[in-house]
């Protein structure tokens, strides 16, 4: 069942989203060669808790940390640890925040130090795919319109989209209906209605779309071919006036 949110509930999800966006920006201020992903995770977790939020990934089905920190060929669900960032890496910082019972979800992939032109292009195209998907988040459209727009933009640029994981409803819980795949057919899938809140999150591979999950930790999701991946995510509400993007990259990009 797809839970619709009132205007007031959407305002509350926006307050949660604002804290989440500030937390990701706070982590971003410390992303540089030589720091570890566990250092960044602890710093981000402290920021969320200091501001009254709960990082929902921690303890979710046994996930051990507040943030997913995914480096290079790790697509998503990287577990923070003694992993030292180095010049030319990418780091995706993914987090879900509960503030006063309202839940938001966002991810930003940061370049670490100086990155290659290939890496810059992967990050740019993945972020473009996110906003192209968000443009489709209008009442009367269908989930497949979002999925198709994301897939087309990535594939026309020579990249592929992951099939095993997808975007989702959000707002009262981390994962609600509907699923929002990053591939699909226009005009198909659930109808988008005013009051729906969803997380749109293209997970994009520079090479083939195939991924593998770590046997050791059960979480870390890597590209099979070892090529780079990127991931951007916003929480968005479908309103009478079109998409209202609740999370924001403004603080990350204007600091
Ligand atoms: N942003 C991720 C998602 O959309 C958060 C889940 S990570 C987990 O599913 F570690 F909590 F599973
Ligand atoms: Co998500």
């Amino acid at each position: 069942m797809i839970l619709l949110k009132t205007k007031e509930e959407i305002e509350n999800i926006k307050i949660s989203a604002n804290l989440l966006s500030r937390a990701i920006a706070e982590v971003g201020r410390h992303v540089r060669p030589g720091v570890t992903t566990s250092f960044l995770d602890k710093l981000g977790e402290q920021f969320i808790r200091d501001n009254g939020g709960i990082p929902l990934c921690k303890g979710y089905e046994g996930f051990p940390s507040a943030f997913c920190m995914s480096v290079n060929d790790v697509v998503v669900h990287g577990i923070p640890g003694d992993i030292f960032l180095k010049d030319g890496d990418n780091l995706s910082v993914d987090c879900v925040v509960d503030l006063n019972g309202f839940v938001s979800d966002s991810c930003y992939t940061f370049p670490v130090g100086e990155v290659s032109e290939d890496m810059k292009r992967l990050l740019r195209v993945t972020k473009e795919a996110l906003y192209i998907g968000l443009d489709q988040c209008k009442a009367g459209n269908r989930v497949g319109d979002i999925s198709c727009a994301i897939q087309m933009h990535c594939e026309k640029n020579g990249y592929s989209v992951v099939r095993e994981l997808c975007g989702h409803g959000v707002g009262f819980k981390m994962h609600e209906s509907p699923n929002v795949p990053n591939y699909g057919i226009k005009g198909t899938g659930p109808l988008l209605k005013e009051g729906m809140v969803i997380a749109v999150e293209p997970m994009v591979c520079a090479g083939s779309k195939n991924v593998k999950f770590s046997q050791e930790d059960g979480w870390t999701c890597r590209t099979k071919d070892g090529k780079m991946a990127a991931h951007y995510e916003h929480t968005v509400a479908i309103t009478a006036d079109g998409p209202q993007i609740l999370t924001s990259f403004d603080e990350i990009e204007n600091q």
Side-chain angles (χ1 to χ4, degrees):
M1 197 189 41
I2 300 177
L3 300 172
L4 301 180
K5 280 85 180 175
T6 64
K7 278 192 178 139
E8 195 189 349
E9 286 164 342
I10 290 171
E11 274 314 299
N12 280 303
I13 299 167
K14 189 174 177 172
I15 297 170
S16 166
N18 186 44
L19 170 56
L20 173 58
S21 303
R22 287 166 54 218
I24 295 175
E26 175 64 13
V27 169
R29 273 189 274 280
H30 296 85
V31 170
R32 62 178 71 96
V35 305
T36 66
T37 55
S38 65
F39 168 79
L40 295 171
D41 172 66
K42 289 194 187 91
L43 179 147
E45 178 173 3
Q46 195 61 49
F47 183 89
I48 292 166
R49 295 196 191 277
D50 285 348
N51 288 283
I54 305 166
L56 285 189
C57 290
K58 196 168 187 170
Y60 176 82
E61 293 184 6
F63 192 79
S65 57
F67 286 76
C68 300
M69 298 259 175
S70 306
V71 180
N72 294 340
D73 61 317
V74 179
V75 188
V76 288
H77 300 173
I79 298 176
D82 273 338
I83 299 162
F84 288 85
L85 297 178
K86 55 185 197 312
D87 211 35
D89 285 347
N90 81 43
L91 171 69
S92 88
V93 174
D94 187 0
C95 189
V96 182
V97 158
D98 178 329
L99 183 66
N100 302 320
F102 295 93
V103 179
S104 55
D105 188 357
S106 184
C107 178
Y108 194 90
T109 303
F110 294 89
V112 180
E114 261 316 300
V115 301
S116 68
E117 287 307 312
D118 280 356
M119 178 73 87
K120 283 184 194 159
R121 184 170 168 274
L122 174 66
L123 301 188
R124 175 176 56 76
V125 169
T126 306
K127 204 201 300 174
E128 285 167 0
L130 169 61
Y131 285 99
I132 287 168
L134 290 165
D135 278 343
Q136 296 297 318
C137 293
K138 294 179 214 154
N141 276 6
R142 288 182 181 272
V143 167
D145 297 324
I146 306 170
S147 306
C148 180
I150 290 173
Q151 180 181 15
M152 291 300 145
H153 187 68
C154 297
E155 291 184 353
K156 94 174 174 221
N157 281 284
Y159 299 140
S160 63
V161 290
V162 172
R163 304 298 200 267
E164 285 82 348
L165 299 149
C166 52
H168 48 89
V170 69
F172 298 143
K173 288 196 308 181
M174 170 153 57
H175 292 140
E176 300 178 19
S177 281
N179 278 340
V180 183
N182 294 306
Y183 65 99
I185 299 164
K186 251 197 280 200
T188 67
L191 191 61
L192 300 178
K193 292 185 182 149
E194 192 183 335
M196 284 175 57
V197 176
I198 57 178
V200 177
E201 50 178 320
M203 291 162 252
V204 178
C205 307
S208 94
K209 65 183 186 313
N210 300 316
V211 297
K212 54 180 195 247
F213 292 85
S214 159
Q215 301 281 332
E216 284 95 69
D217 63 37
W219 285 102
T220 309
C221 171
R222 289 197 154 78
T223 59
K224 264 196 187 158
D225 60 12
K227 295 199 176 156
M228 299 292 153
H231 177 206
Y232 290 88
E233 176 174 19
H234 272 317
T235 294
V236 60
I238 290 145
T239 75
D241 307 320
Q244 184 188 3
I245 304 172
L246 302 176
T247 43
S248 166
F249 298 152
D250 288 353
E251 187 174 330
I252 296 171
E253 296 186 340
N254 302 321
Q255 65 192 7

